[in-house]
Amino acid sequence: MRLTTCLSFFLLLSSWLHAAAPKPNIVFIIADDLGWADVAMHGGSAPTPHLDKLAKEGLELTHHYVAPVCSPTRTGLMTGRCWSRFGVTTPQNERALRWDTTTLPRALKSVGYETCLTGKWHLGSNPEWGPNHFGFDHSYGSLAGGVGPWDHHYKKGAHMETWHRDEKLLKEEGHVTDLITQEACGWLAARKKDAPFFLYVPFTAVHLPIKEPQEWLAKVPAGITGELARHYAACVMHLDDAVGQIVATLEKNGQRQNTLIVFTSDNGGSTAENNGQAYPPDDYPSGPLPGNNTPLRNEKGSVYEGGTRVACIASWPEKLKAGKHDAPVQIIDWMPTFCGLAGFKPEKDLKWDGVNLWPQLAEGASPPARTLYTVAPGFKSRSLRCDPWKLVVHGADEKAKFELYDILADPNERTDLAAQKSDELAVMKERLNVMAKADKDAVAND
């Protein structure tokens, strides 16, 4: 009898403690066009001490994949699905998601989270398609894509005026990185203290056009020469400092111990012209951006590693051990992961392509075999990673060109083995066909 009573008591106590455990706060920070080697921990020439510290004390995900360009990556994060399911493959100003989409912020709100976006949305650039319509309590920044750092204008055209707070357009003074950071830190300080929160901070750095404040140019190492190269380095350093400010705010508010921070980029680095004619003139330093993806192949827009494999750090004191996680993961995995941590259980099948990473990141579970599917702008190129192989396809139908790489032995994709490995190529082609069958099944046509 005593044994039964004690056992019942401990079971009740365990259940109570589990139920009483606070839901984690989640801060997801995403840079724009940040190259693999733009950060110091990957050999970058610009110092990034705050990111270095996060990586040293947290967990670096060394094979973290995203889409080749921005709107698709954001679609994957918001839905847990491949962006091609929504027909989203390019940067776009049209509404990307169906109105009834269960987005990440909607899911978290349903289990008690406060939600905030401060930065770049780019999943529908009209105010009536903005973040507040898809689960964010508060939103601020650019409804469209990357903006001029000082005038906050998007490209010339219908969406040039895009800077907003809660979907109401406004004009403000200040550098875009500072404004996004100030809004994030201010929201953290002002929010309710008893509710968990999801803070999404999609910076516009280091997206063109770049023009940095003098105070940051003065901090660039002397060994970095050339006007645009120095502005680019200053932009990376400025971004790093912004991450440091957000972490410091969490610490000051006593929120850091129960907050999972994830930092990554939306695609690989770019070498596009900085002062293109698409943006209103503002004396931007001229020349191609020095986005650095070394040693990875290619850059933004490409399904090769340089376009889709990006820096990623996950940090949660006492919950994640410091180190490296080398298994392949993808941007679509974060929604299932965050929902699992928050206790969200969908009422229907959300058709997630992603998986809950937490068992492998924090609990030592063996990573499951993964098939990572990537679609480039306009479906013109696609790739499939299923270790040890990576299939790259350019074009479609009878004109398609297939390349096959042993991605474990040849991570920089130097040797195409398609001609020598016909059997393996055939298997990968069939896997690609299976993965592609769900494309466009959630197109925003409502």
Side-chain angles (χ1 to χ4, degrees), residues 8-24 258 319 341:
S8 298
F9 171 77
F10 282 115
L11 287 173
L12 285 171
L13 179 62
S14 176
S15 176
W16 179 83
L17 288 173
H18 180 74
K23 298 177 187 292
N258 195 42
K319 299 289 186 179
L341 288 169

Side-chain angles (χ1 to χ4, degrees), residues 119 136 158 213 226 242 244 351 378 384 434:
F136 285 101
K351 300 180 181 179
L384 198 73
V434 170

Side-chain angles (χ1 to χ4, degrees), residues 310-370:
V310 294
C312 184
I313 304 165
S315 174
W316 187 359
E318 299 179 7
K319 299 289 186 179
L320 285 175
K321 294 181 181 179
K324 296 180 184 293
H325 182 75
D326 297 325
V329 300
Q330 201 168 27
I331 191 72
I332 55 176
D333 296 331
W334 291 113
M335 183 172 181
T337 303
F338 296 158
C339 286
L341 288 169
F344 170 78
K345 297 180 180 179
E347 296 179 355
K348 62 180 182 179
D349 182 9
L350 298 181
K351 300 180 181 179
W352 283 335
D353 295 299
V355 302
N356 185 344
L357 297 174
W358 199 247
Q360 52 182 295
L361 297 185
E363 300 166 9
S366 298
R370 295 296 303 276

Side-chain angles (χ1 to χ4, degrees), residues 12 28 64 78 110 140 142 152 176 181 193 210 242 262 281 299 318 336 368 399 419 425 435-436:
L12 285 171
F28 196 94
H64 181 264
M78 288 291 109
S110 74
Y140 171 83
S142 170
H152 319 136
V176 62
T181 307
K193 302 300 181 183
I210 287 173
V262 177
E299 61 178 296
E318 299 179 7
K399 295 183 179 180
L425 178 63
M435 289 295 291

Side-chain angles (χ1 to χ4, degrees), residues 95 97-99 101 103 105-106 121 129-136:
R95 176 167 57 92
L97 305 176
R98 292 174 55 94
W99 289 119
T101 303
T103 62
R106 277 179 173 162
W121 172 238
W129 300 335
N132 299 62
H133 285 75
F134 288 93
F136 285 101

Side-chain angles (χ1 to χ4, degrees), residues 233-245:
C235 191
V236 172
M237 295 164 62
H238 199 173
L239 169 67
D240 176 77
D241 181 76
V243 173
Q245 289 186 52

Side-chain angles (χ1 to χ4, degrees), residues 131-407:
N132 299 62
H133 285 75
F134 288 93
F136 285 101
D137 296 318
H138 176 63
S139 65
Y140 171 83
S142 170
L143 288 167
V147 296
W150 297 100
D151 60 17
H152 319 136
H153 285 148
Y154 183 54
K155 297 176 182 180
K156 296 175 184 177
H159 301 103
M160 189 174 78
E161 298 291 341
T162 188
W163 201 251
H164 78 105
R165 180 176 281 110
D166 291 324
E167 302 175 354
K168 294 182 180 179
L169 299 179
L170 72 156
K171 292 185 181 294
E172 288 186 307
E173 294 185 356
H175 191 278
V176 62
T177 299
D178 295 328
L179 293 177
I180 291 172
T181 307
Q182 289 165 15
E183 192 80 6
C185 294
W187 184 82
L188 286 172
R191 53 166 299 282
K192 298 175 185 177
K193 302 300 181 183
D194 58 346
F197 60 82
F198 170 54
L199 173 62
Y200 174 39
V201 191
F203 282 102
T204 61
V206 294
H207 192 287
L208 61 80
I210 287 173
K211 186 178 181 182
E212 284 295 304
Q214 185 57 44
E215 65 174 295
W216 281 103
L217 288 169
K219 297 177 182 180
V220 174
I224 299 176
T225 59
E227 183 185 23
L228 181 54
R230 292 186 62 80
H231 274 271
Y232 192 87
C235 191
V236 172
M237 295 164 62
H238 199 173
L239 169 67
D240 176 77
D241 181 76
V243 173
Q245 289 186 52
I246 293 171
V247 174
T249 300
L250 292 168
E251 292 172 345
K252 180 180 179 180
N253 296 344
Q255 300 161 329
R256 181 67 182 99
Q257 289 300 113
N258 195 42
T259 300
L260 168 60
I261 298 174
V262 177
F263 172 87
T264 191
S265 177
D266 64 347
N267 47 250
S270 171
T271 58
E273 188 73 18
N274 187 49
N275 62 343
Q277 297 301 309
Y279 291 85
D282 195 16
D283 299 324
Y284 299 119
S286 63
L289 295 175
N292 188 357
N293 302 304
T294 305
L296 305 180
R297 180 177 178 179
N298 224 307
E299 61 178 296
K300 175 182 178 178
S302 166
V303 297
Y304 293 114
E305 298 287 284
T308 60
R309 183 177 161 196
V310 294
C312 184
I313 304 165
S315 174
W316 187 359
E318 299 179 7
K319 299 289 186 179
L320 285 175
K321 294 181 181 179
K324 296 180 184 293
H325 182 75
D326 297 325
V329 300
Q330 201 168 27
I331 191 72
I332 55 176
D333 296 331
W334 291 113
M335 183 172 181
T337 303
F338 296 158
C339 286
L341 288 169
F344 170 78
K345 297 180 180 179
E347 296 179 355
K348 62 180 182 179
D349 182 9
L350 298 181
K351 300 180 181 179
W352 283 335
D353 295 299
V355 302
N356 185 344
L357 297 174
W358 199 247
Q360 52 182 295
L361 297 185
E363 300 166 9
S366 298
R370 295 296 303 276
T371 299
L372 302 185
Y373 177 53
T374 300
V375 178
F379 290 89
K380 293 180 180 178
S381 296
R382 292 176 294 164
S383 73
L384 198 73
R385 175 168 174 167
C386 186
D387 289 350
W389 303 109
K390 179 177 176 180
L391 178 70
V392 174
V393 187
H394 301 295
D397 302 324
E398 67 277 359
K399 295 183 179 180
K401 177 187 176 184
F402 295 91
E403 301 170 7
L404 186 67
Y405 300 93
D406 183 339
I407 200 64

